[in-house]
Amino acid sequence: MMNKEKKIYFSNGVIIGQNCWCCAEDGQEICKTNIITGMTTIVKCLDERISGYSFYNSVIYNEERLYFIPLLSDVLLVYDINKNNVEEYEIDSNICRGKGAKFISAGIYKDNMYMFPCCADHVCRFNVISKEIEYLQNITNMQAKNSSTGLTYCFGTGVKCDEIFWLPVLGRDMIVAYSMFTNEYREYVIDSKEEGFRYLVKIDDDFYLLTRNGNVVHWNLERGFCKKYDNPNATEKVALGRNIYSKIVYFENAIWLFPAFGVNIVRLDLMSGERIEYSDYKDGLQESDAISEIGIFGEGMQNGEEVIMFPHTLNGLVRINLRSTEITTSRLVHNIGETVLSLGKEEDLIENKENVGKEIFKYIGKC
């Protein structure tokens, strides 16, 4: 979101070259941030959204277009980087009952964008050529109700491997393999005695699953092997249906965990079970008042040996080298002047102020 100091926070993004492309946390602006310098430019102001957080979660890049997957938004947002053009495609409200998250995981297979439901009722498929939306499997049989929030949940954040999308199930002790080729899915019971998983990573036949309270489960597909690493630092935030960590990454026999409502970055050695916690990763970055509502980080992105964490509520990017464990930060610098020039002449903006983000127009008015 953009606050009075013109700081922008975002849930997630996609990195193209040296730039991270994202939608602001309040759904008002599409932004481009240089991951080296932290320079952030608003490239597109959107129609005014209802005030709130987390309009979009996943961002998928495909053939010069960005697909912003609706979390609390009612539309799939498609942004053409070359044309600086936005298209919106409304999601049928009949499959999105309640106020919960619509979709968390998504991926492209051939000409189709698949969106996998969290609180929605169906798998959703969007054809990137015809722009048609289809509603496939009704997955209410796999949903589980959260006693704290009263909402029903299904899939968390999974991974795409060729035509298979592997999905953790939030309320069940299992994962699902969804074939985007046949549009069929298969369930695998983990037998970890956990009540579901929020995140999943896959290394060959090994899966590492993360629970809401920070426990890590290692499960092998071929052998059915299951081992659990308990988190000794679970907090009261779990009772509110929130996640201690927002990202799980595997690197050289270690699992890295990055905080949502947790406190520290954690490295879990899978051989010894030793946990090393890093508390100084903010390096002077400031937090917004929204930290108690949406946590510290969105899901971030792994790029080889490096992880770049996107700030839900910090005014900068956090980058960590998984091999050297070196942590660096890039404070976000918002070039409002460049934004004004990129959007058009000042007199045109004033004449068409209803199409311009509120905060930018206020800023222009002060010039």
Side-chain angles (χ1 to χ4, degrees):
M1 76 182 163
M2 177 181 285
N3 63 18
K4 292 180 180 178
E5 297 178 345
K6 296 180 284 297
K7 292 188 175 71
I8 298 171
Y9 306 100
F10 43 97
S11 299
N12 216 334
V14 61
I15 296 174
I16 307 170
Q18 286 192 349
N19 290 313
C20 172
W21 294 78
C22 69
C23 189
E25 198 42 50
D26 63 358
Q28 304 278 349
E29 306 92 15
I30 294 175
C31 311
K32 178 178 68 174
T33 297
N34 186 297
I35 62 175
I36 306 299
T37 66
M39 179 62 70
T40 298
T41 302
I42 300 172
V43 296
K44 193 72 174 179
C45 289
L46 305 174
D47 294 336
E48 184 176 342
R49 272 24 179 201
I50 299 172
S51 178
Y53 301 111
S54 303
F55 274 78
Y56 302 97
N57 186 66
S58 301
V59 185
I60 307 296
Y61 173 65
N62 183 63
E63 295 185 354
E64 302 303 312
R65 290 181 175 85
L66 301 175
Y67 295 83
F68 294 93
I69 308 304
L71 188 67
L72 299 185
S73 173
D74 295 324
V75 297
L76 168 68
L77 203 65
V78 182
Y79 174 71
D80 189 308
I81 293 176
N82 292 330
K83 297 179 181 179
N84 192 29
N85 180 56
V86 172
E87 298 173 347
E88 297 185 3
Y89 299 91
E90 187 172 357
I91 302 297
D92 187 346
S93 61
N94 289 328
I95 72 158
C96 301
R97 301 186 181 94
K99 298 180 180 180
K102 294 178 176 64
F103 306 100
I104 294 179
S105 281
I108 287 272
Y109 178 69
K110 295 187 176 179
D111 291 333
N112 289 307
M113 168 74 65
Y114 284 80
M115 296 179 284
F116 297 98
C118 183
C119 294
D121 292 340
H122 290 70
V123 175
C124 182
R125 182 170 65 185
F126 175 78
N127 188 286
V128 300
I129 306 299
S130 68
K131 311 298 177 65
E132 293 182 356
I133 295 179
E134 299 176 88
Y135 302 99
L136 306 178
Q137 283 88 352
N138 185 319
I139 47 75
T140 50
N141 63 304
M142 283 191 286
Q143 291 177 336
K145 187 174 183 178
N146 182 284
S147 58
S148 299
T149 64
L151 298 172
T152 55
Y153 297 90
C154 192
F155 298 127
T157 298
V159 295
K160 177 179 176 290
C161 301
D162 298 320
E163 81 277 7
I164 302 296
F165 213 107
W166 295 90
L167 295 153
V169 182
L170 283 166
R172 306 285 179 87
D173 191 5
M174 68 181 188
I175 62 176
V176 164
Y178 188 96
S179 170
M180 294 178 286
F181 176 70
T182 65
N183 298 318
E184 298 174 334
Y185 66 87
R186 180 176 177 180
E187 302 172 10
Y188 294 88
V189 176
I190 305 300
D191 196 25
S192 68
K193 307 302 186 291
E194 290 286 350
E195 297 180 354
F197 308 100
R198 175 62 179 84
Y199 299 92
L200 174 156
V201 293
K202 181 179 184 294
I203 310 297
D204 298 323
D205 287 331
D206 290 305
F207 292 80
Y208 297 93
L209 307 154
L210 179 63
T211 67
R212 284 189 182 277
N213 65 359
N215 292 342
V216 175
V217 172
H218 172 202
W219 180 72
N220 183 276
L221 175 66
E222 294 297 322
R223 295 181 288 129
F225 168 84
C226 183
K227 181 178 180 178
K228 185 159 64 173
Y229 301 85
D230 291 327
N231 172 31
N233 301 319
T235 72
E236 69 279 4
K237 297 293 185 182
V238 177
L240 300 175
R242 294 169 171 172
N243 307 298
I244 292 184
Y245 301 109
S246 65
K247 179 75 171 177
I248 178 173
V249 170
Y250 173 91
F251 184 76
E252 293 189 346
N253 286 318
I255 288 292
W256 288 83
L257 306 172
F258 296 86
F261 289 96
V263 177
N264 299 328
I265 294 174
V266 175
R267 181 186 185 277
L268 171 64
D269 188 296
L270 295 173
M271 301 298 291
S272 66
E274 179 186 14
R275 293 170 62 97
I276 300 175
E277 304 206 7
Y278 301 84
S279 60
D280 57 352
Y281 59 89
K282 296 178 185 177
D283 191 26
L285 296 180
Q286 296 178 348
E287 299 171 349
S288 80
D289 294 336
I291 191 169
S292 62
E293 300 178 55
I294 56 177
I296 300 173
F297 291 118
E299 294 184 8
M301 174 175 285
Q302 183 177 6
N303 184 19
E305 297 183 357
E306 183 180 60
V307 171
I308 301 174
M309 295 305 299
F310 305 130
H312 256 319
T313 51
L314 294 178
N315 64 337
L317 298 174
V318 175
R319 304 169 64 189
I320 180 166
N321 186 295
L322 302 178
R323 185 178 300 279
S324 68
T325 70
E326 179 184 7
I327 300 175
T328 57
T329 59
S330 299
R331 189 182 301 276
L332 300 185
V333 181
H334 302 96
N335 191 337
I336 299 298
E338 182 179 334
T339 296
V340 171
L341 291 174
S342 69
L343 293 173
K345 295 181 180 179
E346 181 176 332
E347 56 267 27
D348 293 335
L349 293 177
I350 294 174
E351 183 179 351
N352 298 285
K353 62 183 180 181
E354 68 275 7
N355 295 322
V356 182
K358 283 184 177 179
E359 297 297 331
I360 294 180
F361 185 74
K362 290 178 183 177
Y363 179 87
I364 296 172
K366 295 176 182 178
C367 296

